[in-house]
Amino acid sequence: MQITRLRVEQLRRFHAPFELAGFTTGLNILAGPNEAGKSTLVRAIRAAFFERHKSSMVDDLRPWTDGSGAAPRVEIDFELAGQPHRLVKSFLGKKRCVLAVGTRQLEGTDAEDHLAQLFGYAYAGKGASKPEHWGIPGLLWVEQGSGQDLEVRHAREHLHDALQGQGETAGALAATGGDALLERLRKDRAELLTATGKPTGDHREAIDAVARHQADIAALDAQIAHYREQVDRLDTLRRAHALDAAQQPWDALERELAQARTLQAALDASARQLGEDRQRLADLARTRELLGQRLASFAQQEDDLARRQTALAQSEAAAQSADTAAAQSQQRVDAAQGRAQATQLLAQAAQQQALRDSLQQQLEQASADAARAAQALQRGEAAHAELAAQRAQAAAQPAITARQLQQLRTLVQAREQAALRHQAVATRLAWRLPPGQGLHLDDRPLEDQGELLLAAPALVRLPGGGELRITPGGQDLADLARNDREASHRLQQALAALGLADLAEAEARLAACSAAQGAVQLAEQALAIVAPQGLDALHTACAQVQARMQAAEAALARLPASMPGALPGTASEAIPAAHAAAAEQAAQQALATAREAHAQAQARQAAASSRRDAARTELQAAQARLAAPERSAQQEAAQQQLLQAQAEHQALDARVAQTAAGLQSARPDIVAQDIARLARSTAQLRASHQQRHEQILVLHSALQQAGAQGLEEQRAALAGELQRALRRQQELQRRAAALDLLCERLQARRQATLARLQAPLAQRLQHYLPLLLPGASMQIDEQLAPALLTRPRTAGAAGAAESGAVDALSFGAREQLGLISRFAYADLLQQAGRPTLLILDDALVHSDSERLASMKRVLFDAAQRHQVLLFTCHPALWRDMGVAVRTLDGGG
């Protein structure tokens, strides 16, 4: 097939007629920039063949301007088998289709059906044409951006027809009858076996039925065996039950249990007495220990008097030594202070001279600065006056900060919490008295009814005599009361320091301060607008300059004419200020050292005096304790009580030992174990006897029911059903094996035939592939599409070759292999006498320069046998193809 002329009108961007003629038999390159109309021309060719002229699904063909009543029109002149053809088709506004074949003319659907049969495609039954209808042209006509997508299945039947014409052996098992037979056998096999060969469907049900019957028979066998075991067990239970009823073995155990309980009661009484005696022993031991400690304290008092006398003598000697050291350190301080005063006078004389020079320089500089500041101050006087007024008003406002307010809030909260804790721990005293009767709480009368919180001990006097002392709270009540008072005191101090009555007044004062500060800020902003450098700063600078001048003049006036000085012991002449300052610093350091030593001596003197006073006080206390008249009587009473406690302890200890030995030999734990053992044994014997009776009744009833079920008859019936299920399973198993073997043999035959069928296509692929990838080969799948690429490894890689799926390659590589495959399909179709036309819209734009050069060789070779329409927006890339690059007129 060869297109010779293409004309479009009222189609997308081509509102006016646009015609291309003079197409060659081989490669035709049509170039133009983006939006020049290349894809529009490809769409026109596809619409002329693929779309019915009466279709309402071609609105995309309307012209872009004034397309409401348009009738898009396509005219294509082409030659096929040496005979000229002309196809004229218009859509939408004027629907018409005319096909002229030589001198013969077809119109409407007859013309469209003739073209579809001739080129190998079909029309959509309803709606727009889709890729599944495009057949061979859909395979060979590549749309923009789809070169990497190779959909072969829609043209597979046409390719099979072309391949079958290449040899007689390829028709033995072609795509229709052989595939249909194999598919039917696979379907039959799938009803009995899964893809992995596992049983399914009726086959699986037959196997399950056999297993189910076998399980039912096994269950019946187990029931029959269980029935027989229960008969034997019933006989055994009856004999054991009769023997227990005659002997009654639990009577003897009950008599032993009564004796053991009597013994246990006696042992419990002895144990209680032993516990009481041991408790008394512990009390006596504590009493003896306390009496011993009391007697030891009397002896300790005599020893303590001697130690106190020795300590007093030592502390008096130490105090005398500390007094002497303090007097000596005071003398050293006086000497150092005299020298420090002398050096200070000398340093002052040197500093005054240096100060006079410095003040003179400051006075001169301040005079110059005062002149400049006065000029700047005059320019902002009005704004400065306003700011000064606002600041004066803000200064008159009593100040308080947010931090101070927060501290007050914290103190208020602390006081409230302390008061709550104090009230929570204090004792609440409530009273209700009849009329005319009263009480006194300390000195306060209580009448009628009322309530008080007691935070301290109180005394209630009762009518007619008698007193009640109430001690409130626990040990921490005094601390809580003190905390309450301290919290209140801290709050009142903070309020008084700020001149406030309460927290509300503090918050109001902070709000007023904030407002005053805001007014000051507004005045400062106004001043900044008048003078960007700040008039307040200028005013302050002016005042500072004047103050500096006055201070310098005053300082100069106060300085004496001269004040020479000299170091003590040296000639009376002036010395440099640095030397005088160094001498003064050394003297001051010596004075500080002497004072520090004196302070330490005073601290030691105070400590020694305190220790001496403490020792004298402790000695007096020890002497008073020994001289107390009741001390001898208390010591003698304690000695007598100790002797009595020791005698009672010895007697009670002997009785405890005797009782403990008796209990140990009687073994109360073993007696308790005997009681538990005999009680459980008695209960167990009676329960076993009763349980055995119940088991006899249950077994007797169960055996009666099992005998009525006819277990043996049920097993015989199930055995018959099992045999029938086994025969069904074997039958389906044989059928599945036969279908599996037949499918396997037919598939092997089909693969061999398919290999022979694919050989011509593989030969054509191998014609083009080495031009792109030397040494590479490509396998074809059952759909006649490229599946696996094998090629030599890159330099340095291990192994001789590498293989991979075509779908896993890069976008550019898949596009290149897709075009090569289309060229191979076109060769086969041409050999079978089918029309071939290759349309490539912006193909190979993702190829690198090296691959593009190889693909040009492939394209040039294919163009020797087929007409190729190549549309591109990169004309410079195709100038080396040996044909003229035609540009589309009409712009972008």
Side-chain angles (χ1 to χ4, degrees), residues 672-723:
Q673 292 178 4
D674 290 342
I675 291 173
R677 173 176 55 82
L678 293 171
R680 285 198 296 268
S681 299
T682 301
Q684 180 65 32
L685 287 174
R686 288 186 178 276
S688 298
H689 182 69
Q690 181 62 28
Q691 183 179 8
R692 193 178 296 113
H693 175 67
E694 294 173 356
Q695 289 177 347
I696 290 172
L697 295 178
V698 172
L699 278 176
H700 181 71
S701 176
L703 290 174
Q704 286 180 344
Q705 292 178 2
Q709 290 178 356
L711 298 178
E712 298 289 347
E713 293 79 0
Q714 292 181 25
R715 189 188 187 288
L718 284 176
E721 293 180 4
L722 175 61
Q723 292 301 319

Short mmCIF file of all heavy atoms in Angstrom, two decimals, residues 672-723:
data_model
loop_
_atom_site.label_atom_id
_atom_site.label_comp_id
_atom_site.label_asym_id
_atom_site.label_seq_id
_atom_site.Cartn_x
_atom_site.Cartn_y
_atom_site.Cartn_z
N ALA A 672 -2.97 -32.15 114.17
CA ALA A 672 -3.81 -31.43 113.21
C ALA A 672 -3.83 -32.12 111.86
O ALA A 672 -4.87 -32.21 111.20
CB ALA A 672 -3.30 -29.99 113.07
N GLN A 673 -2.69 -32.65 111.45
CA GLN A 673 -2.65 -33.39 110.18
C GLN A 673 -3.50 -34.66 110.26
O GLN A 673 -4.19 -35.03 109.29
CB GLN A 673 -1.20 -33.74 109.83
CG GLN A 673 -0.35 -32.54 109.47
CD GLN A 673 1.09 -32.93 109.18
OE1 GLN A 673 1.43 -34.13 109.18
NE2 GLN A 673 1.94 -31.92 108.95
N ASP A 674 -3.45 -35.34 111.46
CA ASP A 674 -4.28 -36.55 111.62
C ASP A 674 -5.75 -36.21 111.50
O ASP A 674 -6.53 -36.95 110.86
CB ASP A 674 -3.99 -37.20 112.98
CG ASP A 674 -2.60 -37.82 113.05
OD1 ASP A 674 -2.02 -38.04 111.95
OD2 ASP A 674 -2.08 -38.05 114.16
N ILE A 675 -6.15 -35.07 112.12
CA ILE A 675 -7.57 -34.68 112.05
C ILE A 675 -7.97 -34.40 110.60
O ILE A 675 -9.02 -34.86 110.13
CB ILE A 675 -7.81 -33.44 112.94
CG1 ILE A 675 -7.66 -33.82 114.42
CG2 ILE A 675 -9.19 -32.84 112.68
CD1 ILE A 675 -7.72 -32.64 115.36
N ALA A 676 -7.12 -33.62 109.87
CA ALA A 676 -7.44 -33.33 108.47
C ALA A 676 -7.47 -34.60 107.63
O ALA A 676 -8.36 -34.80 106.79
CB ALA A 676 -6.43 -32.33 107.91
N ARG A 677 -6.47 -35.49 107.89
CA ARG A 677 -6.42 -36.74 107.10
C ARG A 677 -7.63 -37.60 107.36
O ARG A 677 -8.26 -38.14 106.42
CB ARG A 677 -5.12 -37.47 107.45
CG ARG A 677 -5.00 -38.85 106.84
CD ARG A 677 -3.65 -39.45 107.17
NE ARG A 677 -3.37 -39.47 108.60
CZ ARG A 677 -3.84 -40.42 109.43
NH1 ARG A 677 -4.64 -41.39 108.97
NH2 ARG A 677 -3.55 -40.37 110.72
N LEU A 678 -8.00 -37.78 108.66
CA LEU A 678 -9.13 -38.66 109.00
C LEU A 678 -10.45 -38.07 108.50
O LEU A 678 -11.32 -38.80 108.02
CB LEU A 678 -9.18 -38.88 110.51
CG LEU A 678 -8.00 -39.69 111.11
CD1 LEU A 678 -8.04 -39.66 112.61
CD2 LEU A 678 -8.02 -41.12 110.59
N ALA A 679 -10.57 -36.71 108.61
CA ALA A 679 -11.81 -36.09 108.14
C ALA A 679 -11.96 -36.26 106.63
O ALA A 679 -13.04 -36.60 106.13
CB ALA A 679 -11.83 -34.61 108.51
N ARG A 680 -10.86 -35.99 105.89
CA ARG A 680 -10.94 -36.14 104.43
C ARG A 680 -11.16 -37.59 104.04
O ARG A 680 -11.89 -37.90 103.09
CB ARG A 680 -9.67 -35.60 103.78
CG ARG A 680 -9.61 -34.08 103.76
CD ARG A 680 -8.60 -33.60 102.74
NE ARG A 680 -7.24 -34.01 103.08
CZ ARG A 680 -6.39 -33.26 103.80
NH1 ARG A 680 -6.79 -32.08 104.26
NH2 ARG A 680 -5.18 -33.68 104.07
N SER A 681 -10.52 -38.51 104.77
CA SER A 681 -10.67 -39.94 104.44
C SER A 681 -12.11 -40.38 104.66
O SER A 681 -12.68 -41.12 103.84
CB SER A 681 -9.71 -40.78 105.30
OG SER A 681 -8.38 -40.42 105.05
N THR A 682 -12.70 -39.94 105.80
CA THR A 682 -14.10 -40.32 106.07
C THR A 682 -15.03 -39.77 104.99
O THR A 682 -15.88 -40.51 104.45
CB THR A 682 -14.52 -39.79 107.45
OG1 THR A 682 -13.65 -40.34 108.45
CG2 THR A 682 -15.95 -40.18 107.76
N ALA A 683 -14.84 -38.47 104.68
CA ALA A 683 -15.69 -37.87 103.65
C ALA A 683 -15.46 -38.53 102.30
O ALA A 683 -16.39 -38.74 101.52
CB ALA A 683 -15.40 -36.37 103.56
N GLN A 684 -14.19 -38.87 102.00
CA GLN A 684 -13.88 -39.49 100.71
C GLN A 684 -14.52 -40.85 100.59
O GLN A 684 -15.07 -41.22 99.54
CB GLN A 684 -12.35 -39.60 100.55
CG GLN A 684 -11.91 -40.22 99.26
CD GLN A 684 -12.28 -39.36 98.07
OE1 GLN A 684 -12.32 -38.15 98.19
NE2 GLN A 684 -12.62 -39.98 96.95
N LEU A 685 -14.48 -41.65 101.70
CA LEU A 685 -15.09 -42.99 101.64
C LEU A 685 -16.60 -42.90 101.43
O LEU A 685 -17.18 -43.64 100.61
CB LEU A 685 -14.78 -43.75 102.93
CG LEU A 685 -13.33 -44.25 103.08
CD1 LEU A 685 -13.11 -44.87 104.44
CD2 LEU A 685 -12.98 -45.24 101.98
N ARG A 686 -17.24 -41.98 102.16
CA ARG A 686 -18.69 -41.84 101.99
C ARG A 686 -19.03 -41.30 100.59
O ARG A 686 -19.97 -41.76 99.94
CB ARG A 686 -19.24 -40.89 103.06
CG ARG A 686 -19.25 -41.49 104.47
CD ARG A 686 -19.95 -40.57 105.44
NE ARG A 686 -20.01 -41.13 106.79
CZ ARG A 686 -20.96 -41.98 107.21
NH1 ARG A 686 -21.91 -42.36 106.37
NH2 ARG A 686 -20.96 -42.44 108.44
N ALA A 687 -18.23 -40.28 100.13
CA ALA A 687 -18.50 -39.71 98.80
C ALA A 687 -18.25 -40.74 97.71
O ALA A 687 -19.00 -40.82 96.72
CB ALA A 687 -17.62 -38.49 98.57
N SER A 688 -17.21 -41.58 97.86
CA SER A 688 -16.93 -42.61 96.86
C SER A 688 -18.05 -43.63 96.81
O SER A 688 -18.44 -44.09 95.72
CB SER A 688 -15.60 -43.29 97.18
OG SER A 688 -14.54 -42.37 97.13
N HIS A 689 -18.56 -43.97 97.97
CA HIS A 689 -19.67 -44.93 98.01
C HIS A 689 -20.90 -44.37 97.29
O HIS A 689 -21.54 -45.06 96.47
CB HIS A 689 -19.99 -45.27 99.47
CG HIS A 689 -21.08 -46.30 99.61
ND1 HIS A 689 -20.92 -47.62 99.26
CD2 HIS A 689 -22.36 -46.17 100.07
CE1 HIS A 689 -22.05 -48.29 99.49
NE2 HIS A 689 -22.95 -47.42 99.97
N GLN A 690 -21.20 -43.07 97.58
CA GLN A 690 -22.36 -42.45 96.93
C GLN A 690 -22.11 -42.25 95.44
O GLN A 690 -23.00 -42.49 94.61
CB GLN A 690 -22.64 -41.10 97.59
CG GLN A 690 -23.85 -40.35 97.03
CD GLN A 690 -25.15 -41.10 97.21
OE1 GLN A 690 -25.30 -41.88 98.16
NE2 GLN A 690 -26.09 -40.91 96.28
N GLN A 691 -20.89 -41.84 95.09
CA GLN A 691 -20.56 -41.61 93.67
C GLN A 691 -20.63 -42.91 92.88
O GLN A 691 -21.10 -42.94 91.73
CB GLN A 691 -19.17 -40.98 93.57
CG GLN A 691 -18.76 -40.63 92.15
CD GLN A 691 -17.39 -39.99 92.09
OE1 GLN A 691 -16.70 -39.94 93.11
NE2 GLN A 691 -17.00 -39.52 90.94
N ARG A 692 -20.15 -43.99 93.51
CA ARG A 692 -20.20 -45.29 92.83
C ARG A 692 -21.65 -45.69 92.58
O ARG A 692 -21.99 -46.24 91.51
CB ARG A 692 -19.48 -46.33 93.68
CG ARG A 692 -19.21 -47.61 92.93
CD ARG A 692 -18.45 -48.59 93.79
NE ARG A 692 -17.13 -48.11 94.13
CZ ARG A 692 -16.75 -47.77 95.35
NH1 ARG A 692 -17.62 -47.84 96.35
NH2 ARG A 692 -15.54 -47.35 95.58
N HIS A 693 -22.54 -45.39 93.52
CA HIS A 693 -23.96 -45.70 93.33
C HIS A 693 -24.54 -44.90 92.15
O HIS A 693 -25.27 -45.45 91.31
CB HIS A 693 -24.72 -45.38 94.62
CG HIS A 693 -26.22 -45.56 94.49
ND1 HIS A 693 -26.81 -46.80 94.30
CD2 HIS A 693 -27.23 -44.65 94.51
CE1 HIS A 693 -28.13 -46.66 94.21
NE2 HIS A 693 -28.41 -45.36 94.34
N GLU A 694 -24.16 -43.60 92.07
CA GLU A 694 -24.65 -42.77 90.97
C GLU A 694 -24.09 -43.24 89.63
O GLU A 694 -24.79 -43.24 88.61
CB GLU A 694 -24.27 -41.31 91.23
CG GLU A 694 -24.97 -40.71 92.44
CD GLU A 694 -24.44 -39.35 92.77
OE1 GLU A 694 -23.48 -38.92 92.09
OE2 GLU A 694 -24.98 -38.68 93.69
N GLN A 695 -22.81 -43.65 89.62
CA GLN A 695 -22.22 -44.15 88.38
C GLN A 695 -22.92 -45.42 87.89
O GLN A 695 -23.11 -45.63 86.69
CB GLN A 695 -20.73 -44.42 88.60
CG GLN A 695 -19.89 -43.16 88.75
CD GLN A 695 -18.44 -43.48 89.04
OE1 GLN A 695 -18.10 -44.64 89.36
NE2 GLN A 695 -17.59 -42.46 88.99
N ILE A 696 -23.33 -46.25 88.83
CA ILE A 696 -24.04 -47.48 88.45
C ILE A 696 -25.34 -47.13 87.75
O ILE A 696 -25.70 -47.71 86.71
CB ILE A 696 -24.28 -48.35 89.70
CG1 ILE A 696 -22.94 -48.94 90.20
CG2 ILE A 696 -25.27 -49.47 89.41
CD1 ILE A 696 -23.06 -49.65 91.53
N LEU A 697 -26.07 -46.14 88.32
CA LEU A 697 -27.35 -45.75 87.71
C LEU A 697 -27.14 -45.16 86.32
O LEU A 697 -27.88 -45.47 85.38
CB LEU A 697 -28.05 -44.74 88.61
CG LEU A 697 -28.48 -45.25 89.99
CD1 LEU A 697 -29.11 -44.12 90.79
CD2 LEU A 697 -29.45 -46.42 89.86
N VAL A 698 -26.12 -44.29 86.20
CA VAL A 698 -25.86 -43.64 84.90
C VAL A 698 -25.44 -44.67 83.86
O VAL A 698 -25.91 -44.67 82.70
CB VAL A 698 -24.78 -42.54 85.05
CG1 VAL A 698 -24.37 -41.99 83.68
CG2 VAL A 698 -25.31 -41.41 85.92
N LEU A 699 -24.52 -45.60 84.23
CA LEU A 699 -24.06 -46.60 83.27
C LEU A 699 -25.20 -47.53 82.86
O LEU A 699 -25.32 -47.91 81.69
CB LEU A 699 -22.92 -47.42 83.89
CG LEU A 699 -21.53 -46.79 83.82
CD1 LEU A 699 -20.51 -47.65 84.56
CD2 LEU A 699 -21.10 -46.63 82.37
N HIS A 700 -26.03 -47.87 83.81
CA HIS A 700 -27.15 -48.75 83.49
C HIS A 700 -28.08 -48.10 82.46
O HIS A 700 -28.50 -48.74 81.48
CB HIS A 700 -27.92 -49.08 84.78
CG HIS A 700 -29.08 -50.02 84.55
ND1 HIS A 700 -28.91 -51.36 84.24
CD2 HIS A 700 -30.43 -49.79 84.57
CE1 HIS A 700 -30.10 -51.93 84.06
NE2 HIS A 700 -31.05 -50.99 84.26
N SER A 701 -28.38 -46.79 82.66
CA SER A 701 -29.25 -46.09 81.72
C SER A 701 -28.57 -45.95 80.36
O SER A 701 -29.21 -46.14 79.31
CB SER A 701 -29.58 -44.71 82.27
OG SER A 701 -30.33 -43.96 81.35
N ALA A 702 -27.25 -45.61 80.35
CA ALA A 702 -26.54 -45.44 79.07
C ALA A 702 -26.47 -46.74 78.30
O ALA A 702 -26.61 -46.76 77.07
CB ALA A 702 -25.12 -44.91 79.35
N LEU A 703 -26.27 -47.87 78.98
CA LEU A 703 -26.20 -49.16 78.28
C LEU A 703 -27.56 -49.53 77.70
O LEU A 703 -27.63 -50.12 76.61
CB LEU A 703 -25.71 -50.24 79.25
CG LEU A 703 -24.23 -50.12 79.65
CD1 LEU A 703 -23.88 -51.14 80.71
CD2 LEU A 703 -23.34 -50.32 78.43
N GLN A 704 -28.62 -49.20 78.39
CA GLN A 704 -29.96 -49.47 77.83
C GLN A 704 -30.18 -48.68 76.54
O GLN A 704 -30.71 -49.20 75.56
CB GLN A 704 -31.02 -49.12 78.88
CG GLN A 704 -31.11 -50.11 80.03
CD GLN A 704 -32.18 -49.73 81.04
OE1 GLN A 704 -32.65 -48.60 81.04
NE2 GLN A 704 -32.56 -50.69 81.88
N GLN A 705 -29.76 -47.39 76.55
CA GLN A 705 -29.94 -46.58 75.34
C GLN A 705 -29.05 -47.07 74.20
O GLN A 705 -29.47 -47.13 73.04
CB GLN A 705 -29.60 -45.12 75.66
CG GLN A 705 -30.58 -44.45 76.60
CD GLN A 705 -30.17 -43.03 76.92
OE1 GLN A 705 -29.18 -42.54 76.41
NE2 GLN A 705 -30.96 -42.37 77.77
N ALA A 706 -27.78 -47.42 74.50
CA ALA A 706 -26.88 -47.89 73.45
C ALA A 706 -27.37 -49.19 72.85
O ALA A 706 -27.25 -49.44 71.64
CB ALA A 706 -25.47 -48.08 74.03
N GLY A 707 -27.95 -50.08 73.67
CA GLY A 707 -28.47 -51.33 73.12
C GLY A 707 -29.63 -51.11 72.19
O GLY A 707 -29.85 -51.88 71.24
N ALA A 708 -30.40 -50.02 72.39
CA ALA A 708 -31.55 -49.75 71.54
C ALA A 708 -31.16 -49.08 70.22
O ALA A 708 -31.97 -48.96 69.32
CB ALA A 708 -32.54 -48.86 72.28
N GLN A 709 -29.92 -48.58 70.10
CA GLN A 709 -29.51 -47.85 68.89
C GLN A 709 -29.12 -48.76 67.72
O GLN A 709 -29.06 -48.32 66.58
CB GLN A 709 -28.32 -46.94 69.21
CG GLN A 709 -28.69 -45.77 70.10
CD GLN A 709 -27.49 -44.93 70.45
OE1 GLN A 709 -26.37 -45.29 70.08
NE2 GLN A 709 -27.72 -43.85 71.19
N GLY A 710 -28.81 -49.97 67.96
CA GLY A 710 -28.43 -50.88 66.87
C GLY A 710 -27.12 -50.49 66.23
O GLY A 710 -27.07 -50.25 65.02
N LEU A 711 -26.05 -50.38 67.02
CA LEU A 711 -24.76 -49.92 66.50
C LEU A 711 -24.19 -50.86 65.45
O LEU A 711 -23.61 -50.42 64.45
CB LEU A 711 -23.77 -49.76 67.66
CG LEU A 711 -24.15 -48.72 68.72
CD1 LEU A 711 -23.11 -48.70 69.84
CD2 LEU A 711 -24.28 -47.35 68.10
N GLU A 712 -24.36 -52.15 65.63
CA GLU A 712 -23.81 -53.11 64.66
C GLU A 712 -24.51 -52.96 63.31
O GLU A 712 -23.86 -53.01 62.26
CB GLU A 712 -23.99 -54.54 65.20
CG GLU A 712 -23.25 -54.84 66.49
CD GLU A 712 -21.75 -54.92 66.28
OE1 GLU A 712 -21.32 -54.98 65.11
OE2 GLU A 712 -20.99 -54.91 67.27
N GLU A 713 -25.85 -52.75 63.31
CA GLU A 713 -26.58 -52.58 62.06
C GLU A 713 -26.15 -51.28 61.35
O GLU A 713 -26.00 -51.25 60.12
CB GLU A 713 -28.09 -52.55 62.33
CG GLU A 713 -28.68 -53.86 62.82
CD GLU A 713 -28.42 -54.08 64.31
OE1 GLU A 713 -27.76 -53.20 64.92
OE2 GLU A 713 -28.85 -55.12 64.84
N GLN A 714 -25.95 -50.21 62.14
CA GLN A 714 -25.49 -48.95 61.54
C GLN A 714 -24.13 -49.13 60.88
O GLN A 714 -23.87 -48.60 59.80
CB GLN A 714 -25.40 -47.86 62.61
CG GLN A 714 -26.74 -47.43 63.17
CD GLN A 714 -26.60 -46.32 64.20
OE1 GLN A 714 -25.62 -45.60 64.17
NE2 GLN A 714 -27.57 -46.21 65.10
N ARG A 715 -23.24 -49.88 61.49
CA ARG A 715 -21.90 -50.07 60.91
C ARG A 715 -21.98 -50.83 59.61
O ARG A 715 -21.26 -50.53 58.63
CB ARG A 715 -21.00 -50.80 61.90
CG ARG A 715 -19.55 -50.84 61.46
CD ARG A 715 -18.70 -51.71 62.34
NE ARG A 715 -17.29 -51.57 61.98
CZ ARG A 715 -16.73 -52.05 60.86
NH1 ARG A 715 -17.48 -52.71 59.98
NH2 ARG A 715 -15.44 -51.86 60.61
N ALA A 716 -22.85 -51.83 59.52
CA ALA A 716 -22.98 -52.60 58.28
C ALA A 716 -23.48 -51.70 57.15
O ALA A 716 -22.99 -51.79 56.00
CB ALA A 716 -23.93 -53.78 58.51
N ALA A 717 -24.46 -50.81 57.44
CA ALA A 717 -24.97 -49.90 56.41
C ALA A 717 -23.88 -48.93 55.95
O ALA A 717 -23.73 -48.68 54.75
CB ALA A 717 -26.17 -49.12 56.95
N LEU A 718 -23.10 -48.40 56.88
CA LEU A 718 -22.02 -47.47 56.51
C LEU A 718 -20.93 -48.15 55.69
O LEU A 718 -20.33 -47.53 54.80
CB LEU A 718 -21.41 -46.85 57.77
CG LEU A 718 -22.24 -45.76 58.44
CD1 LEU A 718 -21.56 -45.31 59.72
CD2 LEU A 718 -22.41 -44.57 57.50
N ALA A 719 -20.69 -49.41 55.96
CA ALA A 719 -19.67 -50.15 55.17
C ALA A 719 -20.10 -50.23 53.72
O ALA A 719 -19.27 -50.12 52.80
CB ALA A 719 -19.45 -51.53 55.78
N GLY A 720 -21.40 -50.44 53.46
CA GLY A 720 -21.87 -50.48 52.08
C GLY A 720 -21.72 -49.14 51.39
O GLY A 720 -21.29 -49.07 50.23
N GLU A 721 -22.06 -48.06 52.08
CA GLU A 721 -21.90 -46.73 51.50
C GLU A 721 -20.43 -46.41 51.23
O GLU A 721 -20.09 -45.76 50.23
CB GLU A 721 -22.49 -45.69 52.45
CG GLU A 721 -23.99 -45.78 52.60
CD GLU A 721 -24.53 -44.73 53.55
OE1 GLU A 721 -23.72 -43.90 54.01
OE2 GLU A 721 -25.74 -44.73 53.83
N LEU A 722 -19.53 -46.88 52.08
CA LEU A 722 -18.09 -46.66 51.87
C LEU A 722 -17.62 -47.34 50.60
O LEU A 722 -16.83 -46.78 49.83
CB LEU A 722 -17.32 -47.17 53.09
CG LEU A 722 -15.79 -47.12 52.96
CD1 LEU A 722 -15.30 -45.68 52.76
CD2 LEU A 722 -15.12 -47.70 54.20
N GLN A 723 -18.08 -48.53 50.32
CA GLN A 723 -17.67 -49.23 49.10
C GLN A 723 -18.12 -48.47 47.86
O GLN A 723 -17.38 -48.35 46.88
CB GLN A 723 -18.24 -50.65 49.11
CG GLN A 723 -17.63 -51.55 50.19
CD GLN A 723 -16.11 -51.67 50.04
OE1 GLN A 723 -15.58 -51.79 48.93
NE2 GLN A 723 -15.41 -51.62 51.18
#
